[in-house]
Amino acid sequence: MATPALSHIGLAGLAVMGQNLALNIAEKGFPISVYNRTASKVDETHHRAQAEGDLPLTPHYTPRDFVLSIQRPRSIIILVKAGSPVDQTIAALSSFMDPGDSIIDGGNEWYLNTERRIQQVSSQGLLYLGMGVSGGEEGARYGPSLMPGGSFQAYSNVQNILQRVAAQVDDGPCVTYIGEGGSGNFVKMVHNGIEYGDMQLISEAYDVLKNIGGLSNSELADIFAEWNRGELESFLVEITADIFRVRDEFGEGELVDKVLDKTGMKGTGKWTVQQAAELSIAAPTIAASLDGRYMSGLKEERESAAAALREAGLKEEEQLGGVKKGIDKKRLIDDVRQALYASKICSYAQGMNLLRAKSVEKGWDLNLGELARIWKGGCIIRAVFLDRIKKAYQRNPNLASLVVDPEFAREMVQRQAAWRRVVGLAVSAGISTPGMCASLSYFDTYRRARLPANLVQAQRDLFGAHTYERIDRPGLPIKLRLSFLKLLALTFDASNTMKPTTGVISRRSVAQVLIDHIKSLYTGHGHSS
């Protein structure tokens, strides 16, 4: 009997994403071995491979047979639930693997877990990649965006396969080597955070158009379809138009109106916001989208609050009706389009700044322009303006923010009037637009040369002696910066009874206290002048 030919690659974990990625690889002409703990999943995948063109996919039912069916150096993709299932799968497979073989985790894993596993398997001489996979089940089957990070040798071993199975755009396949360690998982995490922001902003545009503009689902479908032919062209805008056209199978109207207003999540958005906080990177749009999901989960509380506030006198219909009266629908639609676009730029700017900060911290040397390029196809946030983001970072790799790129800055300025009108209308009507408001506040804060932070720092100094810097005397030594607490003492009355007054500090008093303060610094410390 002839020995069966060895597969080029293996894949373990045959849920929807695993099955579809395995079939994608096989369809591109690479023989693949597959394995799953549940034998029925193996059979299901094999049957699909036969039905979809007799693809070169070989089923295996034990870890040993699976591993030994792959040519060396072996490359095995794992697509199982993040966390302990990954560790369990590694343990089951690695005992049959040889030094130089590679494990590629394609799940949404926490990047530090990937870095731990890199060290763990290196003791066996194994290589490791943490690879973000975006595009959902359709992307996995026909071309995802892939974000592999970790061992460059492990990437090189499968580079030709990944480049063939990834989504293809005008400037190449949507895959690139991201960097060392857990960089691939971190980039995918931020991608998902941006995705949270995108979805929130689109839902707010819908809310304003529906409740202030009074637009029907049919009209909304046409509007989003039209937007998808312009600057907002993207996967999420495209499917939004499609969603408004889906009829309710159990009754009249469209299905979207019957969907419960509670949004699920798997954790990557929360991780993104946590990382932004740890790195002191402002990401208010992404944070607002996460808060929006938390608030959506409080369905029963929101219903109770609505009833309680109506009883307390809140007249929602009057509030909304006053804004809707005389609204120019055509202008509103165009204003919302502009507000959505400007808000999206801010959301992407926040995500890119987070990636850069983490890259500096970890020494990953992330290429932000290249990341924008591989997101142009296959992934959930794919959008036509990602090509312009790519070009912005090509023009200036050290770009401080997309907001100040000359092209994007010009567009932001041109759209800010419409942006403000939309946010103002929503606030007046009692329609919450946390993402758009956060984006606009981010823009307004970032563009101001001076903020009221001077008062906050003065407060910190008064109650906590945290000191402050003077704008008129840069570099003034800390010991010569009179504390606000000492200056406040000048308001005490001349009798020195420690009874505070409400008077304004006089110039003479300030001068005298300053002289006394400086004298105290030098008295008894060996200074002669």
Side-chain angles (χ1 to χ4, degrees), residues 234-285:
S234 63
F235 172 72
L236 286 170
V237 170
E238 176 187 353
I239 66 169
T240 299
D242 294 338
I243 286 169
F244 290 126
R245 292 192 172 98
V246 177
R247 302 288 297 177
D248 180 7
E249 62 182 319
F250 297 115
E252 296 296 318
E254 289 75 34
L255 179 59
V256 66
D257 294 327
K258 310 299 194 310
V259 175
L260 180 66
D261 54 324
K262 289 176 70 171
T263 306
M265 67 189 102
K266 293 186 177 179
T268 47
K270 180 173 73 173
W271 291 346
T272 303
V273 173
Q274 288 172 333
Q275 281 294 295
E278 287 189 17
L279 291 165
S280 300
I281 298 297
T285 310

Side-chain angles (χ1 to χ4, degrees), residues 333-459:
I333 291 166
D334 191 59
D335 280 355
V336 172
R337 174 186 62 80
Q338 295 186 63
L340 177 56
Y341 183 79
S343 297
K344 279 168 63 75
I345 292 173
C346 288
S347 183
Y348 278 74
Q350 294 159 29
M352 289 299 191
N353 286 355
L354 174 55
L355 287 171
R356 180 174 51 219
K358 195 65 176 183
S359 178
V360 170
E361 181 193 69
K362 301 288 286 186
W364 285 338
D365 194 25
L366 296 182
N367 183 333
L368 299 184
E370 180 69 355
L371 297 183
R373 186 195 70 77
I374 67 170
W375 290 345
K376 285 168 56 178
C379 69
I380 302 301
I381 65 170
R382 61 184 182 267
V384 68
F385 92 143
L386 277 162
D387 190 60
R388 299 183 52 232
I389 293 177
K390 178 197 75 172
K391 291 175 180 176
Y393 284 109
Q394 287 177 337
R395 284 191 295 271
N396 181 6
N398 298 315
L399 185 65
S401 171
L402 287 173
V403 173
V404 296
D405 170 75
E407 287 193 13
F408 283 119
R410 193 159 44 246
E411 292 182 333
M412 299 283 278
V413 171
Q414 290 169 351
R415 287 160 176 76
Q416 67 164 333
W419 197 3
R420 295 181 195 284
R421 284 194 295 270
V422 170
V423 169
L425 273 175
V427 170
S428 298
I431 302 294
S432 59
T433 53
M436 287 187 183
C437 286
S439 288
L440 183 57
S441 294
Y442 178 81
F443 172 74
D444 282 337
T445 303
Y446 192 66
R447 69 176 177 79
R448 294 185 64 193
R450 183 162 173 81
L451 296 169
N454 56 318
L455 177 59
V456 176
Q457 189 59 26
Q459 291 170 331

Side-chain angles (χ1 to χ4, degrees), residues 1 10 34 98 102 143 155 157 175 197 203 205 213 219 243 270 274 330 342 383 468 478-479 489 493:
M1 179 185 290
V34 297
D98 296 300
S102 303
Y155 172 71
N157 292 346
V175 60
S203 74
E219 290 173 312
I243 286 169
K270 180 173 73 173
Q274 288 172 333
K330 185 175 180 181
Y468 55 92
I478 290 177
K479 65 181 181 180
D493 62 17

